Amino acid sequence: MTLGYPTKALALAVAVCAACVSAPMSAEVKLSQSNAPEAVLNSELTALFAQERDALGTVDSSAMAEVLANYKPTQKPAREPQIEYSREFLAGLPEATGDEEWLCLSEALYFEARGESVQGQFAVAEVILNRVSSEAFPGSVCGVINQGTGKKYGCQFTYTCDGHAENIHEPEAFSRVGKVARLMLDGAPRVLTNGATHYHTTAVAPRWSRTFARTAQIGVHYFYRMPRA
């Protein structure tokens, strides 16, 4: 059995004391400071503890520093929100709130898709976020939604440049799409449109729809993926 430093010190102490007990006792014998057992024991213990301290110091300054530098805490992967594409599911969620990005996405879903099914609203949100993820579009939700706004009908999302005031008259519908926006911004999976970056209603046929790959149809919307450069 290999003894650690404290254990060695204890064993040494026991051995010294045993020697004291087994040695012949004489009232006339006086031990000098140089051969007194307690002096030897103190000296040995001091040396052992010094060695232990030095060894620990070496670990702290080199090996331990390397361990800490390379340490990566174990993190559990973030769980994607569990989604059900139904009004009942949304009704059971708390009222949604958020920052400017959330407000931009909520307004886009309200004006572009409030009359669609819940699944259709999630699909429109996917398109907007797919654009945010693409280098071909602005890198923020508000940037994507307001791209081209300023010239009538020259924008990406018609409601932002059709000349009509953007007033919300259906608070319940806005509450629902606000929850959709919150879920999507919080990392809900984008599984409905197969990476779509564009959509249009079935009532129109824009020029780009003849060259883009159609990826899905949900409600009255066709979805398309822009060719990759």
Side-chain angles (χ1 to χ4, degrees), residues 47-104:
L48 287 172
F49 287 133
Q51 293 177 30
E52 183 175 6
R53 183 178 62 251
D54 292 342
L56 290 175
T58 301
V59 172
D60 288 341
S61 61
S62 57
M64 186 59 69
E66 183 179 352
V67 170
L68 292 175
N70 296 322
Y71 173 70
K72 294 181 179 179
T74 302
Q75 294 181 348
K76 295 182 179 179
R79 294 182 60 186
E80 292 180 340
Q82 299 299 307
I83 304 300
E84 294 178 18
Y85 301 112
S86 69
R87 289 195 175 191
E88 291 75 19
F89 169 73
L90 293 178
L93 299 177
E95 199 67 24
T97 59
D99 57 10
E100 184 180 12
E101 294 281 273
W102 169 81
L103 183 58
C104 284

Side-chain angles (χ1 to χ4, degrees), residues 46 71 98 112 115 122 128 147 199 201-202 216:
T46 299
Y71 173 70
E112 291 281 311
F122 272 96
I128 294 171
Q147 187 177 18
Y199 65 89
T201 69
T202 55

Side-chain angles (χ1 to χ4, degrees), residues 116-131:
E116 282 284 280
S117 66
V118 170
Q119 188 179 47
Q121 292 165 2
F122 272 96
V124 171
E126 278 189 30
V127 168
I128 294 171
L129 294 182
N130 286 340
R131 288 191 176 194

